[in-house]
């Protein structure tokens, strides 16, 4: 008899409930079905690093505890979290017991040093007791490392490396998390004459073999001789040699420091190589940026000149040490200028972002940096009680870089932390890239963030950044990243390499003393981006008033939570999964404004129709990607064969696929109608005859409908040129009703009494077909403004209807988070107009009510205007997405009683969305649709 599993404990049930609520908010239906005590957080539930941080925050809040930072990385399943909940300490503010002295100005002049080694030796000789860094653990305890100590222990590591046979200019990989050993290893390699290669470290010691195999391509490309990691790596010594022929040893820092032998210093100069910087995630086709001591010191000195580094400056950083912003911009920059730096682990920040701010508070730090998502995380995750008494007034420059900078994040951070002493002029957007060491452009000091509002249509269609008038609403915003650093140059060029005028959008190129020597052992990649002394950044930008505005990436790299992910690698991994069509996978990043970073989206074609097998394919994809790159995809979408667009030569169109995904149009393509007729007649038989007859009827009816559309629309469109707006709206409404009558599609309306002609109302409706707009135009009051996707304004005839009738167009991809679009709609409501929105955002071939977006309901709570729900039935049957045929069908409209918002908060917007969706679902005649898979339903 099978032994019955023990009943879950009260703690387990509560955690499972928290996880389910969290996944429900993420609208992750597939993951919800997989929730179990032993479900893998990554592979089964699809919870990545940012999602983990939010989940752990909710668990801590529910149990009033504080979980260990390392658990956020090490927990494999829900069960792994349970023991820590029972033993966890109650939450409490970190208390710093050390006295942090204000250091006097250093007597060392690093400007005379030619290498990083020279800088360290000079400080160690003249000021060995000078505090270099505070290394903070999760309890707030800090280990002080002084310049003399850093040199002494790095020298011991150098002796150990020499004893292992390391020769000058040979490479040593450093696979370490943020810890004391990293600093000794880095300078130990330099002192021994080697070339350090920091790489993405394993955050789980029990998975170090998995990580090492994943990084094997980097290790091979760098021709690594020695790998420095932590204790658990000893077992890898023999295994890794099978992957990396050049590898001699895998060691820990303690192994290296046991050697005590004579040491002859390697003479280094500025042109000598100092670092190979592999961007995180570059495991597919590794490109290691090769930098000399001269490159690094030039960049650090230019940064110091641009921001006027002072002896009184103090730095705090949680950035990973394998990342250029954390390694060069924060640590090595502080070391060079002799200013103290406090370093936290990335896990500590991710789990409790307030620790970053408290470290700035207690150390009275003046300089600290983070990517955009870090500032967004502080806004969304930090609650008032945990920062009571926080003082950020010392923070002179808060660098925001390493990924796209969103105006929304800038505004939210200033609004949130202004009351805690943070100054508006302290937020400091910057731009840089590893190929320029780290930094390239900085804005002027002591000014507010400059946000440029430009015309959206000109930007999209003409590739120019035309400034918007103050009253103009169809705008898009970009943040200025300032001017080139001293001694550096930038320019914007077109595809032919010609320099563009101001406000023309093109590729950013740069040159200067910080520019790399090239990609290590990759001459082809180096040649591809080097043009007559200028290096191509791969980023699109425009120049205005001598300042640079980054508008996007020319390349396809996905930046998720500060980490670079390469779509080609992810596509190749996914293509190996059984059930996925080889060569028919696309991966891309989609903006996630909630977290201020990107989401990883994977689209894969499959012939599999069975739902159970589709689930297995999705699970296999998530598991394989997670194992291979260390992060799960945010969404996996299965589509039928031939859904992913390709060029005429058969190449995948990644950007086009992304557009289709954002528009909800990744649906099955059908064979042209004439070919379908031929095939049907060839099949013969009685069964085929009935189908052919049906096709024939639909074809005749379709031709008829197209004719009456042309005949009736043309005079209506011409009339719009001469009639005033009010008359044009009446004519347009009459045309819509007439068209439906001529099509033989009767419209029945229930609840027409709820339509208000003289009161601003927000009408929301389900979306089944392109005909929905025509139907609603015919029954809604003539002054109702329809909110549609911006792409509609591209069609000449439709554009005239939109502009003449005053309808609104918005960017569908980011409408919910777009400040300008929301404000535009708010203004129209306040002016006395009513609006119509489709909260599903789009429609698809697949029948069903899609998830609602929050935009319309946020607007309702902000303005106090009511939501009037409308349910449409029948339009999908008349004209279904991805089909060429029309067919007659009755249309039924249900108009519900307006729902008034009760308050102005976020919860009320969510309540409105839920209530409205329930009401529309009751009357639209279709089931609620799960959008994990977009395979079509069978008719």
């Amino acid at each position: 008899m099978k032994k019955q599993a023990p009943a879950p404990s009260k703690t387990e049930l509560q955690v499972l409930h928290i996880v389910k609520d969290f996944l429900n908010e993420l609208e992750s239906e597939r993951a919800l079905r997989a929730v179990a005590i032993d479900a893998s957080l990554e592979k089964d539930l699809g919870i990545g690093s940012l999602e983990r941080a939010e989940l752990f925050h909710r668990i801590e809040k529910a149990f009033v505890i504080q979980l260990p930072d390392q658990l956020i990385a090490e927990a494999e399943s829900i069960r792994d979290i349970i023991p820590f909940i029972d033993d966890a300490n109650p939450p409490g503010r970190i208390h710093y017991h050390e006295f942090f002295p204000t250091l006097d100005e250093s007597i060392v002049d690093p400007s005379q040093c030619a290498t990083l080694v020279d800088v360290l030796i000079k400080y160690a000789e003249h000021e060995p007791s000078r505090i270099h860094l505070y290394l903070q653990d999760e309890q707030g305890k800090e280990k002080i490392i002084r310049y003399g100590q850093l040199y002494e222990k790095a020298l011991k590591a150098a002796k150990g490396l020499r004893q292992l046979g390391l020769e000058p200019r040979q490479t040593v990989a450093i696979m370490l998390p943020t810890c004391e050993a990293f600093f000794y290893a880095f300078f130990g390699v330099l002192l021994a004459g080697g070339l350090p290669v920091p790489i993405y470290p394993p955050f789980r010691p029990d998975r170090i073999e998995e990580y090492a195999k994943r990084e094997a391509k980097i290790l091979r490309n760098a021709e690594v001789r020695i790998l420095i990691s932590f204790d658990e790596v000893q077992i890898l010594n023999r295994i890794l040699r099978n992957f990396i022929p050049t590898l001699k040893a895998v060691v820990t820092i303690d192994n290296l420091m046991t050697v005590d032998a004579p040491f002859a210093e390697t003479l280094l100069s500025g042109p000598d190589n100092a670092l190979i910087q592999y961007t995180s995630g570059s495991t597919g086709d590794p490109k290691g940026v090769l930098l000399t001591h001269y490159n690094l010191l030039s960049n650090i000195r230019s940064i110091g000149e641009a921001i006027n580094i002072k002896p009184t400056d103090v730095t705090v950083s949680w950035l990973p040490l394998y990342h250029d912003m954390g390694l060069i911009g924060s640590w090595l920059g502080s070391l060079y200028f002799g200013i103290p730096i406090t370093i936290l682990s990335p896990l500590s920040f991710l789990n409790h972002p307030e620790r970053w701010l408290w470290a700035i508070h207690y150390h009275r730090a003046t300089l600290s940096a983070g990517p955009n998502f870090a500032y967004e995380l502080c806004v969304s995750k930090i609650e008032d009680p945990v920062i009571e008494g926080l003082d950020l007034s010392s923070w002179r420059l808060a660098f925001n870089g390493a990924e796209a900078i969103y105006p929304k994040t800038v505004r939210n951070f200033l609004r949130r932390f202004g009351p805690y002493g943070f100054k508006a002029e302290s937020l400091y957007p910057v731009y840089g890239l590893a190929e320029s060491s780290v930094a390239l452009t900085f804005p002027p000091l002591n000014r507010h963030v400059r946000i440029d509002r430009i015309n959206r249509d000109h930007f999209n269609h003409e590739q120019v950044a035309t400034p918007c008038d103050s009253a103009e609403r169809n705008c898009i915003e970009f943040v200025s990243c300032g001017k080139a650093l001293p001694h550096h140059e930038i320019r914007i060029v077109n595809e032919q390499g010609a320099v563009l005028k101001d406000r023309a959008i093109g590729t950013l190129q740069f040159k200067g003393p910080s520019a790399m020597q090239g990609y290590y052992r990759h001459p082809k990649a180096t040649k591809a981006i080097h043009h007559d002394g200028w290096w191509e950044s791969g980023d699109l930008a425009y120049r205005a008033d001598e300042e640079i505005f980054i508008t996007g990436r020319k390349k396809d790299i996905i930046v998720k939570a500060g980490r670079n992910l390469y779509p080609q690698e992810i596509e190749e991994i996914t293509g190996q999964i059984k059930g996925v069509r080889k060569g028919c996978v696309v991966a891309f990043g989609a903006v996630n404004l909630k977290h201020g970073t990107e989401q990883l989206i994977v689209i894969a074609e499959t012939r599999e129709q069975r739902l159970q097998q589709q689930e297995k394919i999705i699970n296999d994809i998530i598991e394989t990607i997670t194992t291979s790159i260390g992060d799960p995809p945010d969404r996996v979408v299965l589509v039928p064969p031939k859904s992913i667009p390709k060029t005429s030569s058969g190449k995948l169109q990644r950007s086009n696929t992304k557009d289709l995904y954002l528009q909800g149009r990744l649906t099955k393509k059908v064979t042209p109608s004439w070919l379908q007729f031929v095939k049907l007649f060839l099949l013969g038989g009685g069964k085929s005859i009935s189908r052919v007859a049906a096709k024939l009827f639909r074809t005749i009816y379709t031709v008829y409908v197209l004719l009456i559309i042309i005949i009736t629309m043309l005079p209506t469109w011409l009339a719009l040129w001469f009639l005033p707006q009010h008359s044009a709206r009446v004519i347009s409404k009459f045309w819509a009703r007439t068209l439906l009558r001529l099509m033989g599609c009767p419209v029945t309306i229930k609840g027409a009494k709820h339509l208000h002609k003289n009161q601003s109302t927000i009408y929301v409706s389900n979306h089944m077909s392109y005909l929905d707009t025509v139907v609603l135009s015919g029954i809604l009051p003539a002054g109702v403004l329809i909110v549609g996707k911006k792409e509609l304004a591209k069609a000449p005839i439709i554009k005239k209807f939109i502009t003449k009738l005053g309808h609104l167009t918005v960017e569908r991809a980011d409408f919910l988070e777009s400040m300008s679009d929301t404000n535009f709609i708010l203004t129209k409501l306040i002016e006395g107009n009513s609006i119509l929105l489709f909260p599903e955002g789009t429609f698809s071939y697949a029948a069903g009510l899609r998830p609602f977006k929050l935009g319309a309901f946020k607007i309702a709570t902000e303005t106090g205007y009511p939501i009037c729900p409308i349910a449409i039935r029948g339009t999908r049957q008349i004209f279904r997405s991805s089909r060429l045929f029309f067919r007659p069908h009755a249309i039924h409209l249900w108009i519900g009683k307006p729902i008034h918002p009760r308050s102005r908060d976020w919860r009320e917007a969510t309540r409105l969305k839920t209530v409205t969706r329930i009401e529309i679902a009751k009357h639209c005649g279709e089931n609620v649709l799960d959008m994990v898979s977009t395979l079509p339903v069978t008719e």
Side-chain angles (χ1 to χ4, degrees):
M1 184 176 178
K2 189 176 179 180
K3 187 177 180 180
Q4 188 174 3
S9 67
K10 183 179 179 182
T11 300
E12 289 173 342
L13 289 173
Q14 191 170 349
V15 173
L16 286 170
H17 180 72
I18 294 169
V19 172
K20 287 178 181 178
D21 281 349
F22 180 53
L23 292 173
N24 194 47
E25 284 187 26
L26 296 176
E27 296 184 347
S28 182
E29 186 67 28
R30 184 203 63 81
L32 271 170
R33 293 196 293 271
V35 172
I37 196 69
D38 291 308
S40 168
L41 295 175
E42 291 179 347
K43 298 171 184 177
D44 297 327
L45 306 184
I47 295 177
S49 56
L50 289 178
E51 291 83 6
R52 274 185 178 235
E54 175 61 23
L55 177 60
F56 274 62
H57 172 67
R58 295 185 181 201
I59 292 172
E60 288 182 330
K61 187 175 180 181
F63 288 94
V64 196
I65 57 171
Q66 185 167 300
L67 295 169
D69 290 337
Q70 196 63 25
L71 186 63
I72 196 173
E74 294 182 352
E76 169 63 23
S77 66
I78 298 172
R79 187 182 296 280
D80 294 338
I81 306 172
I82 303 300
F84 290 90
I85 293 176
D86 297 331
D87 299 334
N89 296 319
R93 183 187 302 174
I94 290 176
H95 294 285
Y96 294 80
H97 303 293
E98 297 283 350
F99 170 68
F100 306 122
T102 301
L103 298 182
D104 295 328
E105 184 173 357
S106 174
I107 61 174
V108 172
D109 180 9
S111 66
Q112 303 305 309
C113 297
T115 69
L116 287 169
V117 171
D118 292 342
V119 173
L120 177 59
I121 291 175
K122 211 170 190 67
Y123 277 110
E125 287 179 349
H126 296 284
E127 295 182 283
S129 297
R130 186 176 186 83
I131 294 175
H132 169 43
L133 66 86
Y134 300 91
L135 191 60
Q136 185 184 118
D137 65 17
E138 63 184 85
Q139 282 78 40
K141 296 178 181 177
E142 296 184 331
K143 181 177 181 63
I144 295 177
I145 299 178
R146 304 174 189 272
Y147 281 93
Q149 177 187 350
L150 176 58
Y151 175 70
E152 178 186 343
K153 295 201 172 184
L155 188 60
K156 285 185 178 181
K159 290 178 180 180
L161 290 167
R162 284 280 185 83
Q163 188 72 18
L164 289 172
L166 183 70
E167 298 177 5
R169 293 178 291 280
Q170 289 185 337
T171 52
V172 179
I174 304 173
M175 186 191 281
L176 288 168
T178 299
C179 62
E180 188 178 357
F182 182 95
F183 308 104
Y184 305 144
F186 186 87
F187 269 103
V189 175
L190 289 177
L191 285 166
L195 187 55
V197 185
I199 60 175
Y200 179 62
F203 287 108
R204 291 190 59 173
D206 61 324
R207 288 189 177 181
I208 191 166
E209 182 174 350
E210 176 187 311
Y211 276 90
K213 289 179 180 178
R214 184 187 307 154
E215 304 295 319
K217 289 184 179 180
I218 288 179
L219 297 173
R220 280 200 301 271
N221 178 257
E223 295 184 316
V224 166
R225 263 47 174 203
I226 298 170
L227 171 64
I228 304 175
S229 197
F230 41 84
D231 292 336
E232 288 79 0
V233 302
Q234 298 302 324
I235 193 173
L236 293 178
N237 199 334
R238 184 170 57 257
I239 298 173
L240 282 175
R241 291 186 185 185
N242 297 325
F243 294 96
I244 306 102
T246 59
L247 189 65
K248 293 180 178 180
V250 181
V251 296
T252 68
I253 197 71
D254 290 336
N255 298 148
L256 295 175
M257 289 186 176
T258 58
V259 176
D260 188 10
F263 182 80
E265 182 181 343
T266 302
L267 297 178
L268 298 171
S269 62
D272 286 325
N273 295 331
L275 172 68
I276 301 178
Q277 178 84 18
Y278 285 90
T279 53
S280 57
S282 59
T283 56
D285 182 21
K287 295 183 182 70
V289 172
L290 180 61
L291 300 168
T292 65
H293 288 274
Y294 174 73
N295 295 146
L296 292 171
L297 293 182
S298 295
N299 200 252
I300 291 169
R301 287 165 180 157
S302 293
I303 291 173
E305 187 175 341
I307 65 174
N308 190 23
I309 285 278
K310 304 170 183 176
T312 54
D313 277 317
V314 176
T315 306
V316 166
S317 177
W318 56 267
L319 295 164
L321 293 168
Y322 58 83
H323 191 283
D324 52 4
M325 201 174 187
L327 177 69
I328 305 167
S330 297
W331 175 43
L332 294 179
S334 299
L335 178 136
Y336 176 88
F337 288 108
I339 60 177
I341 178 171
T342 300
I343 295 183
L344 301 73
S345 85
L347 287 177
S348 185
F349 163 74
L350 197 60
N351 206 20
H352 291 280
E354 67 273 9
R355 291 179 185 167
W356 179 30
L357 305 187
W358 278 116
I360 292 170
H361 166 102
Y362 280 108
H363 284 272
R364 308 314 299 148
T366 58
L367 308 173
S368 196
N372 189 84
F373 89 87
Y375 294 92
E376 191 67 44
L377 197 63
C378 287
V379 171
S380 62
K381 189 175 176 183
I382 297 176
E383 298 176 349
D384 288 343
V386 300
I387 53 173
E388 184 180 348
L390 179 71
D391 179 9
L392 298 177
S393 60
S394 66
W395 201 351
R396 183 166 74 90
L397 292 175
F399 302 91
N400 184 341
E403 62 181 12
I405 304 167
Y406 299 112
K408 167 182 167 286
T409 302
V410 170
R411 295 186 179 103
N412 287 346
F413 191 84
L414 292 175
R415 187 184 305 113
R416 178 72 172 86
F417 294 101
Y420 295 90
F422 185 81
K423 299 178 287 293
E425 61 270 23
S426 295
L427 199 53
Y428 200 66
V430 296
Y431 170 72
L433 63 167
E435 288 81 354
S436 181
S437 296
V438 58
L440 184 57
T441 71
F442 278 12
L445 296 173
N446 301 315
R447 79 161 192 196
H448 292 193
V449 175
R450 177 181 174 184
I451 298 175
D452 196 29
R453 297 179 71 248
I454 64 172
N455 183 280
R456 192 185 295 272
D457 291 333
H458 293 180
F459 170 73
N460 286 323
H461 304 305
E462 301 171 30
Q463 291 295 288
V464 294
T466 306
C468 281
D469 295 332
S470 57
E472 195 171 348
R473 299 300 179 185
N474 187 29
C475 301
I476 189 170
E477 297 180 322
F478 292 105
V479 174
S480 168
C481 294
K483 304 178 181 181
L485 290 176
H487 321 297
H488 294 70
E489 296 178 66
I490 50 178
R491 67 180 187 180
I492 310 297
V493 301
N494 61 16
E495 293 292 337
Q496 291 71 43
V499 178
L500 297 173
K501 62 182 181 180
D502 275 11
R503 291 194 169 275
I505 295 157
T507 301
L508 185 146
Q509 294 183 343
F510 67 94
K511 65 179 179 180
S514 304
M516 68 173 181
Q517 303 304 297
Y519 293 118
Y520 188 68
R521 298 183 61 238
H522 209 320
K524 184 178 179 181
T526 302
K527 185 179 179 181
I529 68 166
H530 196 228
H531 312 286
D532 300 322
W534 291 86
W535 295 92
E536 188 169 310
S537 69
D539 290 311
L540 298 173
Y542 66 90
R543 187 197 298 264
D545 303 324
E546 298 302 316
E547 297 192 25
I548 291 298
F549 296 82
I550 306 297
T551 62
R553 284 190 306 279
K554 191 176 179 181
K555 48 196 175 186
D556 293 318
I557 290 176
I558 303 159
V559 181
K560 182 181 178 184
R563 186 183 177 202
N564 293 345
L565 303 175
Y566 287 75
Q568 297 87 348
E569 178 186 13
I570 295 166
E571 289 160 2
E572 182 179 353
I573 292 168
T574 306
Q576 306 304 313
I577 304 298
K578 184 178 179 180
V580 173
R581 298 186 71 215
K582 294 194 186 310
C584 298
V585 180
V586 163
F588 53 82
V591 174
N592 180 349
L593 286 172
K594 181 178 179 181
H595 290 142
T597 187
E598 286 189 313
Q599 290 183 313
L600 171 57
I601 311 297
V602 178
I603 311 294
E605 289 186 1
T606 181
R607 298 185 187 280
E608 185 58 63
Q609 297 281 338
R610 293 167 295 177
L611 290 176
Q612 188 175 1
Q613 289 302 111
Q614 291 175 24
E615 283 285 334
K616 184 179 185 307
I617 292 171
I618 291 174
N619 289 338
D620 290 346
I621 291 172
I622 292 172
E623 181 174 354
T624 305
I625 291 176
T626 303
T627 301
S628 300
I629 70 169
D631 264 319
D634 293 280
R635 169 158 279 190
V636 175
V637 180
L638 298 182
V639 293
K642 300 183 179 180
S643 294
I644 297 176
K646 296 183 179 180
T647 65
S648 56
S649 60
K651 293 182 180 179
L652 295 170
Q653 293 181 309
R654 194 175 288 115
S655 61
N656 194 5
T657 305
K658 177 177 178 177
D659 291 341
L660 291 173
Y661 166 80
L662 295 174
Q663 296 165 18
R665 292 170 51 201
L666 272 175
T667 54
K668 185 176 180 179
K669 299 178 181 178
V670 297
T671 309
S673 57
W674 65 269
L675 186 56
Q676 292 184 35
F677 275 115
V678 172
K679 289 181 177 180
L680 287 169
F681 277 110
L682 291 176
L683 289 173
K687 192 173 182 179
S688 299
I689 293 173
S690 62
R691 294 178 182 173
V692 171
K695 291 279 186 180
L696 183 60
F697 171 78
R698 292 176 196 171
T699 301
I700 295 170
Y701 180 74
T702 298
V703 172
Y704 165 73
V705 169
L706 292 176
L707 284 173
I708 62 171
I709 289 175
I710 294 171
I711 292 170
T712 59
M713 179 183 279
L714 187 58
T716 305
W717 180 75
L718 291 173
L720 297 183
W721 289 87
F722 306 104
L723 295 174
Q725 188 177 70
H726 176 72
S727 300
R729 287 174 173 172
V730 173
I731 289 292
S732 178
K733 182 173 181 177
F734 174 77
W735 168 78
R737 289 184 169 185
T738 302
L739 176 64
L740 293 171
R741 290 193 190 100
L742 293 174
M743 288 174 63
C745 299
V747 180
T748 59
I749 305 173
K750 184 177 180 180
K753 62 183 179 181
H754 298 310
L755 296 175
H756 293 280
K757 296 181 180 180
N758 301 315
Q759 177 184 342
S760 293
T761 303
I762 303 169
Y763 295 99
V764 295
S765 170
N766 61 311
H767 206 3
M768 291 184 167
S769 167
Y770 291 112
L771 287 174
D772 295 341
T773 304
V774 176
V775 174
L776 293 172
S777 295
I779 64 105
L780 290 176
V784 175
L785 305 181
I786 302 173
V787 180
K789 59 184 180 181
K790 188 180 67 62
E791 293 94 321
L792 293 172
K794 295 179 182 178
I797 294 178
I798 295 177
K799 181 179 181 180
K800 185 62 182 176
F801 275 90
I802 291 172
T803 54
K804 185 69 178 183
L805 301 178
H807 295 316
L808 313 177
T809 60
V810 297
E811 278 286 356
R812 177 170 45 187
D814 64 351
F815 161 59
L816 297 183
E817 307 293 342
S818 170
M819 185 72 69
S820 58
D821 287 342
T822 302
N823 287 341
F824 189 25
I825 295 171
L826 288 173
T827 301
K828 291 297 182 182
L829 283 166
I830 294 170
E831 289 174 355
N833 298 284
S834 292
I835 63 170
L836 165 68
L837 300 102
F838 297 103
E840 292 171 275
T842 187
F843 60 87
S844 67
Y845 181 94
L849 187 65
R850 298 162 62 93
F852 280 11
K853 302 181 186 299
L854 200 60
F857 310 100
K858 287 171 65 179
I859 291 171
T861 57
E862 291 178 17
T863 60
Y865 294 123
I867 293 282
C868 183
I870 299 176
I872 302 178
R873 293 178 63 179
T875 54
R876 198 190 301 274
Q877 285 76 13
I878 297 171
F879 185 69
R880 194 161 191 166
S881 173
S882 298
R883 286 203 164 187
L884 300 177
F885 298 113
F886 287 85
R887 56 185 176 187
H889 198 278
I891 300 170
H892 302 278
L893 287 175
W894 172 85
I895 302 169
K897 184 179 179 180
I899 307 169
H900 292 267
R902 300 171 180 172
S903 63
R904 297 172 61 92
D905 61 17
W906 180 85
R907 291 181 181 274
E908 177 59 11
T910 304
R911 185 193 72 85
L912 283 176
K913 182 183 78 166
T914 302
V915 171
T916 304
R917 191 165 187 238
I918 290 172
E919 289 300 310
I920 291 177
K922 288 178 183 177
H923 300 90
C924 72
E926 294 185 345
N927 295 324
V928 173
L929 186 65
D930 171 21
M931 291 306 297
V932 171
S933 173
T934 62
L935 289 170
V937 297
T938 303
E939 291 192 293

